[in-house]
Amino acid sequence: MSTANTAPAATVTSRTALWGRLALGTAAGAVLFTVAWIVLSFVSDGYTIGGDRIAPYSNLTQPISGLGMGETAPYMNTAFVLSGLLLGAGFLGFFRAFGAGHAIVRVPAAIGLGLVPIGLALIGLFDLEAPGPHFAGVALAFQLPVLTFVAVGLFLRDVSARRLANLLLYVATPITLILMAVFFGTFDEATTADGEGVAGLTQRLWLTWVLAWYAVLGWAAHRRTGG
């Protein structure tokens, strides 16, 4: 009887630990994305958009999407797509590790996080010369989290992870909104094209903040499963 009861329990424990390890895909995706733009920013010789040449490339003035054009395009755009895939796998592990919860809070959270990989894929597949799908991808991956973090916070409260829920609701969400506002307040297309301003810096602060919270969710799921 003891052996028969232990085997299924061990299987469940192993499966739960597997979901926890998969959740770390969020951290892997965030790291890949960040390392990609840091490294490529040092080798980029600029890019051309709308017939205008923007050079040299600067992290201070230019958006990360500029690395998705010119000689660095194949590498940065691949990083966008691969980061999306890793985040998608990580979010799946996150929900399996934290359990079901009630549909009324789980579904909005799952939709919000599920749109992130789609957004990153759109950014990687459509560069700045295709602004419609490109900026739709930016909205899904980095602007929507203002609402997604609220939805995920409510989900985490429902599954008794109140500490992380409060951090998402009262720290991650308002600061994300502030960083977005700062970026849009500093961004001007003409100024950026002239290689001036600080929109590149403010964008990086915003995007890095959002990605860091994606990684936190995956790490929390990993810890919850005993990792």
Side-chain angles (χ1 to χ4, degrees):
M1 288 292 293
S2 177
T3 302
N5 290 334
T6 301
T11 301
V12 171
T13 301
S14 176
R15 188 178 301 144
T16 302
L18 178 61
W19 290 121
R21 289 192 291 271
L22 184 64
L24 291 178
T26 62
V31 169
L32 172 61
F33 180 90
T34 304
V35 170
W37 70 254
I38 290 175
V39 172
L40 294 175
S41 68
F42 287 108
V43 300
S44 173
D45 62 350
Y47 59 98
T48 301
I49 179 170
D52 296 325
R53 181 68 183 170
I54 299 177
Y57 183 87
S58 169
N59 285 325
L60 180 64
T61 63
Q62 299 302 311
I64 294 174
S65 294
L67 295 170
M69 304 182 71
E71 293 185 354
T72 56
Y75 310 104
M76 191 67 235
N77 291 330
T78 298
F80 276 122
V81 175
L82 288 180
S83 297
L85 292 174
L86 288 169
L87 285 168
F91 292 144
L92 174 61
F94 166 80
F95 281 106
R96 296 304 296 262
F98 273 96
H102 293 91
I104 195 171
V105 289
R106 179 184 175 87
V107 171
I111 291 174
L113 292 180
L115 290 173
V116 173
I118 296 174
L120 285 169
L122 285 173
I123 299 172
L125 295 173
F126 299 95
D127 62 24
L128 289 170
E129 294 283 14
H134 183 86
F135 289 114
V138 174
L140 293 177
F142 297 110
Q143 294 177 15
L144 186 61
V146 171
L147 299 177
T148 298
F149 287 158
V150 173
V152 176
L154 295 176
F155 163 74
L156 288 170
R157 278 188 175 181
D158 190 50
V159 294
S160 301
R162 297 189 65 86
R163 183 177 179 183
L164 180 56
N166 289 336
L167 287 173
L168 280 172
L169 292 170
Y170 303 121
V171 178
T173 301
I175 294 181
T176 299
L177 184 59
I178 291 170
L179 291 174
M180 280 178 54
V182 170
F183 166 71
F184 286 112
T186 57
F187 175 76
D188 177 76
E189 188 173 342
T191 302
T192 301
D194 290 338
E196 300 176 353
V198 294
L201 174 62
T202 57
Q203 186 202 51
R204 282 163 173 79
L205 292 174
W206 163 33
L207 268 56
T208 300
W209 173 260
V210 172
L211 286 166
W213 279 100
Y214 291 157
V216 166
L217 293 178
W219 180 252
H222 178 63
R223 291 291 301 274
R224 188 178 178 91
T225 60

